[in-house]
């Protein structure tokens, strides 16, 4: 029965889902580690004391966010705890810490693109090479998608914390006041 299921699946689908598993266990922890590391470097030890200044996937994976990423390509990990009061400049500290996650996705994508460019001249048309290039392609596209997704200025995504550096405290309070409604609307929009 399992053999028939494998035979019925397109190899690209298997490679795509395999790459998503790699993203869940490797890239989501890098993304969250980048938040924790930048906060730590800016003076906030909260993530460090909570055991989140690590690349260990167990510390970062949110089961629901991982399942959503596996099936849709967009998901999340457990948010890194940050106390903006520990930053010299709380608004700038939060913006930099928030930007660190999507930047880590773009850096990983860039490294994967370099690997892709290095491999291309050695392309020999074999199935193994096709599989490897397909995995790298999915890896790059999912990472770029996660960076763009996280940069959307919608709470609780990183983009909303970056935007708050440029907005007034009054605007931020209004966004916080309506955050749960914005989040519900965002999820409805995502699901449709």
């Amino acid at each position: 029965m399992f053999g028939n299921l494998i035979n019925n699946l397109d190899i690209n689908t298997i490679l795509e889902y395999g790459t998503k598993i790699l993203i869940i266990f490797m890239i989501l922890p890098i993304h969250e580690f980048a938040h924790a590391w930048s906060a730590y470097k800016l003076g906030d030890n909260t993530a460090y004391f909570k055991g989140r200044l690590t690349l260990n996937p167990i510390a970062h994976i949110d089961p629901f966010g991982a399942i959503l990423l596996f099936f849709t390509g967009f998901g999340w990990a457990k948010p890194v705890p940050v106390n903006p009061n520990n930053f010299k400049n709380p608004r700038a500290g939060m913006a930099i810490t928030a930007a660190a996650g999507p930047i880590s996705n773009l850096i990983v994508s860039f490294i994967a693109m370099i690997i892709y460019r290095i491999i291309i001249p050695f392309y020999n048309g074999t199935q193994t090479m096709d599989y490897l290039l397909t995995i790298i392609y999915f890896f790059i596209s999912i990472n770029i998608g996660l960076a763009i997704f996280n940069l959307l200025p919608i709470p609780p995504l990183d983009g909303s914390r970056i935007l708050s550096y440029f907005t007034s405290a009054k605007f931020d309070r209004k966004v916080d006041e309506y955050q749960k409604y914005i989040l519900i609307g965002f999820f409805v929009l995502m699901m449709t």
Side-chain angles (χ1 to χ4, degrees):
M1 182 177 152
F2 185 70
N4 290 337
L5 178 64
I6 296 289
N7 290 335
N8 290 334
L9 286 175
D10 177 353
I11 190 66
N12 281 343
T13 303
I14 294 169
L15 293 174
E16 180 182 359
Y17 284 106
T19 305
K20 286 178 181 178
I21 291 170
L22 181 67
I23 297 283
I24 290 166
F25 286 98
M26 186 175 124
I27 300 306
L28 291 182
I30 289 172
H31 179 103
E32 296 305 322
F33 173 81
H35 288 310
W37 182 81
S38 62
Y40 182 77
K41 288 296 183 182
L42 292 168
D44 180 27
N45 295 330
T46 308
Y48 172 77
F49 290 128
K50 299 275 186 181
R52 300 295 301 280
L53 190 59
T54 179
L55 290 170
N56 181 353
I58 304 301
H60 299 293
I61 292 176
D62 176 277
F64 184 70
I67 290 168
L68 195 62
L69 189 146
F70 184 76
F71 288 109
T72 68
F74 292 103
W76 58 84
K78 293 178 195 170
V80 167
V82 176
N83 184 349
N85 295 325
N86 292 330
F87 299 134
K88 288 179 185 173
N89 181 336
R91 292 174 77 78
M94 280 305 293
I96 292 167
T97 300
I103 289 170
S104 73
N105 290 114
L106 294 175
I107 290 169
V108 169
S109 295
F110 183 71
I111 292 168
M113 285 180 204
I114 291 170
I115 293 168
Y116 188 87
R117 296 291 292 173
I118 290 169
I119 291 173
I120 284 293
F122 301 101
Y123 180 73
N124 58 11
T126 63
Q127 203 170 35
T128 303
M129 188 65 84
D130 287 341
Y131 294 161
L132 178 61
L133 293 175
T134 301
I135 289 169
I136 294 172
Y137 167 78
F138 286 133
F139 191 80
I140 292 167
S141 61
I142 291 171
N143 265 290
I144 291 172
L146 284 171
I148 292 169
F149 174 73
N150 275 287
L151 286 172
L152 292 174
I154 300 167
L157 300 177
D158 298 328
S160 68
R161 289 180 178 84
I162 296 167
L163 177 66
S164 71
Y165 177 73
F166 302 100
T167 58
S168 68
K170 182 179 178 182
F171 178 82
D172 294 344
R173 281 192 298 275
K174 280 291 182 195
V175 170
D176 287 343
E177 185 180 333
Y178 294 105
Q179 180 173 345
K180 69 178 178 183
Y181 301 112
I182 294 169
L183 190 58
I184 290 168
F186 178 65
F187 276 118
V188 168
L189 184 65
M190 272 186 56
M191 295 305 161
T192 58

